Amino acid sequence: MSSPAKRLHHLDAARALLLLLGLPFHVATKAIFESTPPAVDFQQSLLIGGLASLTHVFRMFAFFMLAGYFAGMIRERKGTKAWLAERTRRLGLPFAASLLTLGALQFHLQDLLLHKSSPMFLGLPLALDHLWFLVVLLGFCVTYAAVPMQRLRPGSGVQRAMLLEGPGALILLASLALWGLLRYALEQVPPIPNAPSETLLWQQYVFHAAGFALGVLAWHGQLGERIFALRSRWIIPGIVVLLVPYVPLDPLIRPALCKEIYPNLAGTLTLRALELPLAYLMSLALFRLLAWAVRGPSKVVTFFVDGALAIYLFHLVWAMIVLPQARALPLPAEAQWLVSAAAVLLLAVLSYLAVRTTNLTSILFCGAPLKQAASAAAPVSPARS
């Protein structure tokens, strides 16, 4: 067991920020890809496409990397059985409650308000939508629990590579590129018949395993304070070099560049190879930025850390309701998008405040009863350095 170390407050902020960045992203994708007719003005906006593209590159990778790091921390602190039982409760109950309520509502709102049908989940009129991350995260926890902890300490070469030191860093980035190409290979596997949502689950599990695994290794390698506040002269140049070919290939921004939404085969392979190395570098840059900006506890950060899960669970229902109203406003597409995102955030926060008023709804949508909500959502983040 390592000795206690200082709390990394910026990791609390990162966990909340990464989920909250999903709100404007999903407002954009609902308008562009999941509405009939699609919001052509949203598609052709460099601001909307550019911000959606940039945040989408790293958002879920960084989220799962943090999830892996905290998984290692809490598993070591509580023991595998107690940790896995807690994860099952805090992920499984919100997933089941959200799927049966919000998922059912989203399934009908998708057709009623956005005029495009939603795929069923498990053969039922339920929309999986953004809830996939809870299933994938729980799957990672079960997989991780099956591996003895003593086998997970990375060697010095792997640790140096993760810190972008020496030639091993290039090997790590190349390995991430190959893992991205694996995603393309998986996309060519025939989908589960009449089950696009179920197909998405196992594809996302494989693709995002890289981020979760790096987070686990960061904990067991005692890299916490270093990797989540990494000073490396290679991060920004690496991001720039990878972004130059990535941006014109990303379907989120291609229409704004007067290109077809999806690139050709060579472009798709290049895109898949660039995604994970770029996500890793951008995640490190974000963590470093937050380490500089967040030096201590904050009531605002604590509020959003406690409420991030519930806010994220509720936001897509509100996005479906708000988006048609915002698109009818006599405003430019960028203003409609910003108004929609702000309204969705406000309504999702109000939903969080509503569900945390009783123990039952707090357990079902926040993952913890009222008396634990403030502390359970933000575990101590020791540096392990």
Side-chain angles (χ1 to χ4, degrees):
M1 296 291 290
S2 59
S3 59
K6 69 177 184 180
R7 177 169 179 155
L8 302 180
H9 293 278
H10 69 285
L11 295 192
D12 295 337
R15 291 193 303 154
L17 176 64
L18 292 168
L19 283 179
L20 294 177
L21 282 175
L23 276 64
F25 173 78
H26 285 139
V27 168
T29 55
K30 278 292 178 185
I32 295 172
F33 297 107
E34 299 179 47
S35 297
T36 301
V40 177
D41 50 349
F42 276 48
Q43 284 184 332
Q44 297 175 345
S45 169
L46 277 172
L47 176 65
I48 297 174
L51 290 178
S53 175
L54 287 177
T55 58
H56 186 57
V57 174
F58 68 86
R59 186 174 66 87
M60 294 310 298
F61 183 95
F63 171 81
F64 282 116
M65 186 175 173
L66 279 179
Y69 181 76
F70 282 114
M73 177 183 67
I74 303 174
R75 179 186 177 186
E76 183 174 301
R77 180 190 303 165
K78 295 188 174 183
T80 299
K81 290 184 178 180
W83 163 75
L84 188 58
E86 180 190 61
R87 288 292 85 195
T88 301
R89 172 179 60 81
R90 295 195 61 197
L91 297 174
L93 286 179
F95 171 73
S98 299
L99 182 67
L100 295 175
T101 55
L102 302 175
L105 183 57
Q106 288 163 204
F107 183 87
H108 295 288
L109 289 179
Q110 179 73 42
D111 185 50
L112 179 65
L113 299 181
L114 303 185
H115 310 296
K116 189 170 184 177
S117 60
S118 174
M120 293 192 294
F121 182 59
L122 301 177
L124 300 172
L126 302 170
L128 181 63
D129 280 337
H130 62 313
L131 302 178
W132 66 266
F133 87 98
L134 288 170
V135 183
V136 170
L137 183 53
L138 185 56
F140 288 155
C141 291
V142 172
T143 304
Y144 172 43
V147 182
M149 286 193 292
Q150 61 268 24
R151 296 184 179 181
L152 290 170
R153 180 176 175 82
S156 60
V158 174
Q159 293 182 38
R160 285 174 52 81
M162 292 174 64
L163 296 171
L164 303 182
E165 297 175 356
L170 293 177
I171 296 175
L172 173 61
L173 296 177
S175 300
L176 289 173
L178 290 175
W179 197 261
L181 291 175
L182 175 63
R183 176 183 181 178
Y184 176 80
L186 294 177
E187 290 171 343
Q188 310 315 305
V189 175
I192 302 171
N194 302 315
S197 296
E198 291 83 345
T199 301
L200 171 71
L201 279 177
W202 72 265
Q203 290 177 343
Q204 296 283 41
Y205 174 87
V206 174
F207 181 65
H208 289 294
F212 187 86
L214 286 171
V216 168
L217 292 176
W219 171 259
H220 289 284
Q222 302 184 9
L223 300 178
E225 188 173 9
R226 296 180 66 193
I227 198 167
F228 291 116
L230 184 62
R231 296 176 180 269
S232 172
R233 66 181 185 274
W234 301 113
I235 293 178
I236 299 303
I239 291 173
V240 173
V241 168
L242 295 178
L243 271 180
V244 170
Y246 178 88
V247 168
L249 296 173
D250 187 358
L252 288 167
I253 197 173
R254 281 175 63 85
L257 301 175
C258 301
K259 299 176 181 290
E260 295 292 331
I261 291 183
Y262 298 104
N264 58 22
L265 177 59
T268 301
L269 291 173
T270 303
L271 181 72
R272 292 291 179 252
L274 293 173
E275 280 177 323
L276 287 179
L278 182 57
Y280 185 58
L281 294 177
M282 292 187 73
S283 298
L284 295 179
L286 174 70
F287 296 140
R288 174 60 195 159
L289 177 63
L290 290 175
W292 169 80
V294 181
R295 302 296 181 89
S298 163
K299 291 183 178 180
V300 173
V301 169
T302 299
F303 174 82
F304 280 107
V305 168
D306 294 347
L309 176 60
I311 292 169
Y312 192 74
L313 292 177
F314 278 94
H315 86 275
L316 209 54
V317 165
W318 290 118
M320 293 180 180
I321 295 172
V322 167
L323 192 56
Q325 313 304 320
R327 288 184 61 191
L329 296 174
L331 297 172
E334 294 82 1
Q336 294 177 358
W337 175 59
L338 293 174
V339 167
S340 298
V344 167
L345 174 60
L346 174 61
L347 292 167
V349 167
L350 293 175
S351 300
Y352 159 60
L353 294 175
V355 298
R356 78 170 188 174
T357 56
T358 71
N359 267 329
L360 177 60
T361 52
S362 184
I363 290 171
L364 293 179
F365 293 102
C366 302
L370 287 175
K371 61 183 179 180
Q372 298 178 13
S375 58
V380 173
S381 311
R384 285 289 297 265
S385 64

